[in-house]
C-alpha cells in the first residue's frame, strides 16, 4: 500500500486519526485474496446484504441523470451488479474489476449460465479483469461511471483507490460507492470485549462518513453527497451468524486471532452475544455509508501550472 504523507491540516489530521496506525489492525491484502478464494464458490448464496445494498444504491441513483459510455464495477466480486447496471444503461460498455480471480471465475460462470437462460442478456456480458483497486490497468479518462459496492472497507486506506477512480474517470464522470461505517458489527466487538485479556482486533477499522467525504474532496472530487443508514441482520443462532461473516470474506487483519477460542472463552463470548438478542434472534448491525461525487475539470495541468478557462465571445456586425 502506498505510504501517505503526514497530515498537513486539521481535516487531514482527522482523516489520519480515523485510519489509525499500521500494525495489528492493518489489513492483509494477501489474506483478502485468500479469504475470497475460499468462499467464491458459495458466495452467491450468502450475499443477501450486498444485493440489498446494491438495490438501495440504485434508488439513490434514480435522480442522477447520466449516460456513461463505459462503466467500471470496482470490486465487482462475482459480478452480481453487472446485469442491473446493463438494464439501467443498455448502451454502456461494462467492465468488472476485482482482486480475487476465483470470484471473477464464479462471475464468468454466472454470466454464461444467465445468457443461456436469457438470450437477450448475451450482449450484456462484461469483461472481468483481475486488478487491485489502487492500480487499475485502465487508461486515464476512459470511464464515465465508477460503481463500487462494499469494496472500500477491504482496503487499509481508501485514498489510493479514490485517486485511481479519479484518474480513470472522464471529466464530469461519476463515482458512486457503498461501504461500511464505524458501528458495523458493534455487537461482535461488544461480545469480544467481554473476554478478559483479549486484545486482538476482530473487525476492520470502518471509516466515518465525514472522513470519507473529506477524502473525496482532497482527492479532487466535486460536490460529494454522503448519507448513512443502519441495517440490522438477525439470526436464530450464533453459529449461523458467524458462518455468514466467514462466508462474506471474514477477517483479514494482520493481527487477527489465528486459532479458535478456548472452551471457557467461547462460552463467555457466546453468553455476551446472547445478551444482545431481541425476540430470540441475534443482531448483526451494518452501518452502511453511501456516497457519490463527480470528477471535476482539473484546475492545474500535469506540470502544476494553473488552468484558466476564459469564455470566448463572437464578434457580431
Amino acid at each position: 500500500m502506498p505510504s501517505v504523507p503526514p497530515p498537513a491540516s486539521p481535516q487531514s489530521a482527522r482523516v489520519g486519526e480515523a485510519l489509525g496506525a499500521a500494525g495489528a489492525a492493518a489489513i492483509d491484502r494477501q489474506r483478502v485474496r485468500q479469504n475470497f478464494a475460499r468462499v467464491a464458490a458459495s458466495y452467491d448464496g450468502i450475499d443477501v446484504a450486498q444485493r440489498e445494498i446494491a438495490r438501495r444504491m440504485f434508488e439513490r441513483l434514480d435522480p442522477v441523470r447520466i449516460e456513461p459510455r463505459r462503466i467500471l464495477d470496482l470490486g465487482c466480486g462475482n459480478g452480481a451488479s453487472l446485469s442491473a447496471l446493463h438494464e439501467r444503461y443498455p448502451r454502456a460498455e461494462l467492465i468488472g474489476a476485482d482482486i480475487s480471480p476465483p470470484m471473477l471465475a464464479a462471475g464468468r460462470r454466472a454470466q454464461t449460465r444467465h445468457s443461456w437462460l436469457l438470450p437477450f442478456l448475451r450482449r450484456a456480458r462484461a469483461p472481468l479483469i483481475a486488478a487491485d483497486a489502487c492500480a487499475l490497468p485502465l487508461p486515464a479518462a476512459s470511464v464515465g461511471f465508477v460503481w463500487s459496492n462494499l469494496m472500500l472497507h477491504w482496503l487499509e486506506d481508501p485514498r489510493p483507490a479514490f485517486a485511481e477512480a479519479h484518474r480513470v474517470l472522464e471529466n464530469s464522470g461519476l463515482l458512486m460507492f457503498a461501504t461500511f461505517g464505524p458501528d458495523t458489527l458493534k455487537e461482535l466487538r461488544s461480545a469480544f470485549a467481554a473476554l478478559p485479556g483479549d486484545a486482538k482486533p476482530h473487525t476492520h477499522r470502518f471509516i466515518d462518513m465525514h472522513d470519507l467525504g473529506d477524502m473525496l474532496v482532497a482527492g479532487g472530487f466535486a460536490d460529494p453527497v454522503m448519507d448513512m443508514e443502519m441495517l440490522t441482520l438477525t439470526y436464530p443462532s450464533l453459529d449461523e451468524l458467524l458462518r455468514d461473516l466467514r462466508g462474506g470474506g471474514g477477517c483479514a487483519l494482520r493481527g487477527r486471532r489465528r486459532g479458535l477460542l478456548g472452551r471457557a472463552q467461547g462460552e463467555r463470548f457466546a453468553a455476551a452475544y446472547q445478551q444482545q438478542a431481541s425476540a430470540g434472534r441475534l443482531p448483526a448491525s451494518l452501518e452502511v455509508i453511501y456516497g457519490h461525487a463527480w470528477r471535476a475539470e482539473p484546475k492545474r495541468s500535469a506540470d502544476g501550472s494553473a488552468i484558466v478557462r476564459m469564455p470566448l465571445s463572437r464578434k457580431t456586425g
Side-chain angles (χ1 to χ4, degrees):
M1 183 68 63
S3 60
V4 179
S9 68
Q11 183 184 74
S12 60
R14 190 174 74 244
V15 169
E17 182 179 347
L19 291 172
I27 294 174
D28 183 344
R29 292 290 277 165
Q30 181 60 30
R31 186 66 182 187
V32 173
R33 292 184 180 91
Q34 292 171 352
N35 285 0
F36 279 103
R38 173 176 51 82
V39 304
S42 58
Y43 193 77
D44 191 51
I46 61 171
D47 60 344
V48 175
Q50 189 164 17
R51 290 176 184 271
E52 174 60 22
I53 291 167
R55 185 187 68 78
R56 294 171 186 238
M57 288 177 69
F58 278 114
E59 288 180 350
R60 286 163 171 78
L61 191 57
D62 284 342
V64 181
R65 296 288 176 253
I66 57 172
E67 288 296 334
R69 294 176 299 169
R70 182 176 292 115
I71 299 171
L72 171 64
D73 184 349
L74 185 57
C76 67
N78 60 2
S81 292
L82 290 170
S83 293
L85 286 167
H86 169 72
E87 289 178 16
R88 180 160 299 217
Y89 304 107
R91 291 191 294 274
E93 176 189 351
L94 299 172
I95 304 170
D98 198 89
I99 198 173
S100 171
M103 289 289 284
L104 295 172
R108 293 186 186 99
R109 290 192 295 271
Q111 285 190 354
T112 300
R113 182 171 62 252
H114 293 158
S115 65
W116 179 77
L117 292 171
L118 302 171
F120 71 89
L121 288 179
R122 284 176 186 162
R123 63 191 180 91
R125 294 183 64 175
L128 303 179
I129 58 176
D132 191 312
C134 303
L136 294 170
L138 296 174
S142 61
V143 173
F145 179 25
V146 175
W147 162 284
S148 184
N149 182 14
L150 299 186
M151 181 277 294
L152 291 174
H153 66 279
W154 294 106
L155 302 176
E156 177 66 20
D157 180 352
R159 288 176 290 183
F162 284 153
E164 273 295 86
H166 190 273
R167 182 185 68 82
V168 303
L169 276 171
E170 305 166 346
N171 286 340
S172 302
L174 178 67
L175 166 67
M176 186 173 199
F177 64 88
T179 189
F180 289 137
D183 274 345
T184 297
L185 302 180
K186 60 184 179 180
E187 299 88 357
L188 186 72
R189 289 193 296 275
S190 176
F192 274 115
L195 301 182
D198 182 79
K200 295 287 187 182
H202 299 285
T203 68
H204 293 194
R205 288 175 291 109
F206 302 114
I207 300 173
D208 181 79
M209 173 177 70
H210 301 95
D211 294 320
L212 289 168
D214 289 345
M215 292 177 189
L216 290 171
V217 173
F221 285 95
D223 303 321
V225 176
M226 310 292 298
D227 72 300
M228 179 274 289
E229 65 179 341
M230 293 298 302
L231 303 180
T232 303
L233 306 178
T234 64
Y235 294 86
S237 72
L238 186 58
D239 284 345
E240 290 190 39
L241 187 155
L242 296 177
R243 188 181 306 119
D244 258 16
L245 292 181
R246 288 191 294 269
C251 179
L253 300 179
R254 295 189 186 278
R256 66 192 179 278
R257 178 184 291 277
R258 293 302 205 272
L260 299 175
L261 293 175
R263 180 174 178 179
Q265 281 189 311
E267 290 176 350
R268 186 186 290 266
F269 168 76
Y273 211 118
Q274 192 64 44
Q275 290 177 1
Q276 303 175 82
S278 176
R281 296 183 67 87
L282 299 175
S285 294
L286 305 177
E287 179 184 341
V288 185
I289 295 171
Y290 304 92
H292 71 260
W294 302 87
R295 190 197 193 284
E297 292 191 13
K299 296 181 180 179
R300 292 189 175 275
S301 63
D303 63 3
S305 302
I307 298 173
V308 179
R309 295 180 173 84
M310 301 182 64
L312 299 177
S313 59
R314 292 188 177 184
K315 292 182 179 180
T316 59

